[in-house]
Amino acid sequence: MSEEGLLYSLKHVVVGKPIASSHAHHERLSRITGLAVLSSDALSSVAYATEEVLRVLILAGTAAFSFASPIAFVIAAILAIVVFSYRQTIYAYPTGGGAYLVSKDNLGELPALVAAGSLLIDYILTVAVSIAAGVAALTSAFPDWHLSRVELTLGFVALLMIGNLRGIRESGRIFAIPTYFFIVTTLLLVGVGTWRALAGSATPFPSGEPLATTFQPLTLFLLLTAFANGCTAMTGVEAVSNGVPAFQRPESKNAASTMLVMAGLSITMFLGITLLAQWYHVMPSDKETVVSQLARAVFGGGFPYYAVQAATMAILVLAANTAYADFPRLASILARDGYLPRQFMNQGDRLAFSNGIVGLSLFAAVLLVAFGGDTHALIPLYMIGVFISFTLSQAGMVVHWRKARVRQWRTNAAINGFGAVVTGVVLVIVAFTKVFEGAWIVLLLIPAAIVVFKTTKTHYDHVAAQITLRGYAPQRRFHNTVIVPVAGLTRPVVEALRYGESLSDDVRAVYIDVEPGQTEKIKLEWYMWGGRSQLVVLESPYRSLMEPLLQYIEDVERERPEDYVTIVLPEFVPARWWQQLLHNQRALLIKGALLFRRNTVVTSVPFHLLR
Amino acid sequence: MSEEGLLYSLKHVVVGKPIASSHAHHERLSRITGLAVLSSDALSSVAYATEEVLRVLILAGTAAFSFASPIAFVIAAILAIVVFSYRQTIYAYPTGGGAYLVSKDNLGELPALVAAGSLLIDYILTVAVSIAAGVAALTSAFPDWHLSRVELTLGFVALLMIGNLRGIRESGRIFAIPTYFFIVTTLLLVGVGTWRALAGSATPFPSGEPLATTFQPLTLFLLLTAFANGCTAMTGVEAVSNGVPAFQRPESKNAASTMLVMAGLSITMFLGITLLAQWYHVMPSDKETVVSQLARAVFGGGFPYYAVQAATMAILVLAANTAYADFPRLASILARDGYLPRQFMNQGDRLAFSNGIVGLSLFAAVLLVAFGGDTHALIPLYMIGVFISFTLSQAGMVVHWRKARVRQWRTNAAINGFGAVVTGVVLVIVAFTKVFEGAWIVLLLIPAAIVVFKTTKTHYDHVAAQITLRGYAPQRRFHNTVIVPVAGLTRPVVEALRYGESLSDDVRAVYIDVEPGQTEKIKLEWYMWGGRSQLVVLESPYRSLMEPLLQYIEDVERERPEDYVTIVLPEFVPARWWQQLLHNQRALLIKGALLFRRNTVVTSVPFHLLR
């Protein structure tokens, strides 16, 4: 059993003390802090969205770059539609309306589980993509570190995991720094870049190592792929609508304003970076990000350049960190509904969240290793989950308005309906253009997640039916026969015998006779140490210790069917963890063999080793 | 606890039923069967020894090949010395004298542990090297399979592991076939080859792909390296001296004759193959073994060629199989002496041997993967352990004769002393020439093994002192306070309460108040289901379920220091293994938290789920 003890102490050391109820409600968010806390995911995606568009267009030659700005404007328009659509969710679900809750309320179980599966996968990918992009910002500034890309990403995952296990509280002030630092540096980049471009002092940036590509014709499919890639700019916009109850009063109004500001910033930065990339002739490269090249071109290196890179990396790590709050929270809601194991359910201790945090980190680490820590390789997986949850969430809102029939419900339903159609179309485009690039993994993982949810739920339902007291007539047993397997007379054995005697007046010490000399010795010593227990010596023709013992227990049960049978085992509690490997093997075997026997209870009497 | 049950059933399925005592003694060996059973390891090494010599000499150009036969004669002479030296062990230790036992008897603990560590590593390498060489014989005949070399070796390891877990008994008849098949085909190869060479009809064999090498001058170091490689021909000669008690009466005499026959065969085959390789100008290659090229040159392909390859492969797999008997046997002896965990000690069930078999297979598999299933790469690791045990064993015999002072003890001591000096010199040469080629791994592993042995022994000694009844005055406790943590009223909880009431008249059901409504419900239901148990409701300011419970248990212990405190937990026994993941998490935590508390016993009352 020491492993459990070890596990527990380990968790306690890493995780820290439980949180008091009073600490659970952290300070309410103002609009300023709300923007910082809830928009890092949405804003940070502009760091890689433009690059993902250009990487596709370059396949058709640099002339195709002229399509970048029309695509960016379409994406900006859709982003505006999505934000207006989500604004309505903020007012309709002032207690927080995630895609799972909205779908469950309005669309039923299966759509809700599709949304839940998509969201969990989405959170994992948020961690993987944001950290990969953050490391790309780092290695752009310090190209020597490029070779250790995977190691760097895993280092960040480990840092976030440990930080969250120990419990970084979502303190607005700490979060405000990187978010506003990013907003300021990026707006400065866009502003100075535009001014220089308009003033005619923009000089094309000579890319060190442009991407090696094989030429492809400029097809509709290529343009749709570029568009789908650019839609990464939209990831994370829903965060504000999930976090409504965290705002100061009036919660919905503050959240809605924050969301509008976030959308304005997001659109400005995305369009700005895309237009500048065209003006400055930035070429996507495997060694340096587009934003890094742009910053170098606009500022010519030096402090402003490093500030842009540092801000980009900081907000991307922050964005990854938001998934560390979202994933365990959704897992906890799913566990409460019976769709995930109970250990994900928050029950006061931090433990429940710890399981979610460790799970999230492991999955993200697997993805980062499998895809070589490459943002670009991970993007095709990212979009599917995001747009499934967008679409389901908006569709759920349409049903919500039809049921609620508040004033203006037709207008509201129309806005959300339009949002659902637009995001649905994007979803189809993403699935169509990305399925062979890796999106198939997610298209398999979502049904797999749903199978897990349904199986878990079914099992808990079955258990509930089996443990109910309704119609239960317990069979009363009063007497207890205690059996203590004995391999020799030692302190732990004698202590087990004495404990057994405190339970019952019928304690039987069972000794297996494999060495005749030993048996005589035990019989002699029994007068001294046997107490009220009766010594039973069993023959073992096959020299096996287990078979005769199990046979004897069966005999006792048959002899006294109205009794409990309790097997009392002495168990060493080692002083150091590795000593566990040297003890208790037989106890483990006996427990394993008796596990499926009814009315047999196995008890371990601990004997604590001092060294 | 289901994992243990699963583990146990799994072991039972794979391992099969326990062995009856009567089966444990297999039939005694005649000289004919004894040679088959005990010499496969020694004889099989001629399949690769010549090649290992040539692979070194070729570095100095083909002219250096003329040194192959002098080296082979020196090795043959040393082999004869070693065999004469071991012949004395056979008479001195008629119950079997392995290097560990001889060293322990005569040299003391540390040399014995050095021998034990060397032997365990030696057995692992016997498996790895023999299987690698066996697969080389196979891929020489079927070159297309060369690419799957590592997979093939792992397949053979898996086969041997499963076969030995299920219990292939060492039946002389089955073992006789490959051994005598190998002896016959190899002697035929040597005979026909020599006849054709003397008759002048030997034609140089054009090697397909000779080894690509960089030229080195013919230094003494190179010659010593070639010599050290050739000494692999000696591995396994000690097997007969370990197996004396398995022979028919007179055991020692039969064993000694068998050893002489084995030595004669081994020397004939090794010298024959080496001389033929020179005459037929066989060049070592990465694609085809020397023996395969030789057989092709002598027989010109066809049935006799495939017979040689099949026989070589069969005896090598058989040689690997001998380690599957030796490793668990030595581990069992070490465990009996307290140097390895008790689970390696044979206690009637096959389980003890199973641990050894699985351990051996895993280590061998790791080596095969790490060294790409390449015999040549593994050889440098092999020799160190073999010659350490040779040297210690012979040195131990010298001390034995000095102590025994039988007739002719001076002569006997001189023979073993000469053997010890010769093997010791070989050991130094092997260590000197091989240390940077991989032998350093073994030179680190042997001390590591000794640390494990000593630590284990020290711990068991400490435990023995802690559990002795000498001077033990147990504190008598009579009363038992039973605590049942209760999260709600369900069948498993009510069954746990009833069980608790069979143990004590003081049963306290502890409920943690986290939801006020629930608490009222439980209090109402208590009249119906509470029985003789007392309901204790605890407040939890931090919403934690664990902290108040642990606090309460501590209070009870302080209140009744003379009592046992028994925590009774309902525990789900799932119908399917994966359901275990969905239950018992809190029980696990409670057990872990209580593990290090004295006088607190935790009992699980199983509740069997039907689905």
Side-chain angles (χ1 to χ4, degrees), chain B residues 71-83 234 267 271 418 422:
Chain B
I71 288 175
F73 278 103
V74 173
I75 291 168
I78 296 175
L79 204 158
I81 293 165
V82 170
V83 163
M234 274 182 251
I267 288 172
L271 286 179
F418 187 56
V422 169

Side-chain angles (χ1 to χ4, degrees), chain A residues 459 468 491 499 566 583 610, chain B residues 459 466 468 491 499 566 583:
Chain A
H459 175 67
T468 179
R491 286 188 190 203
Y499 176 76
T566 299
H583 297 287
L610 300 177
Chain B
H459 176 66
Q466 288 174 76
T468 179
R491 286 187 190 203
Y499 176 76
T566 299
H583 297 288

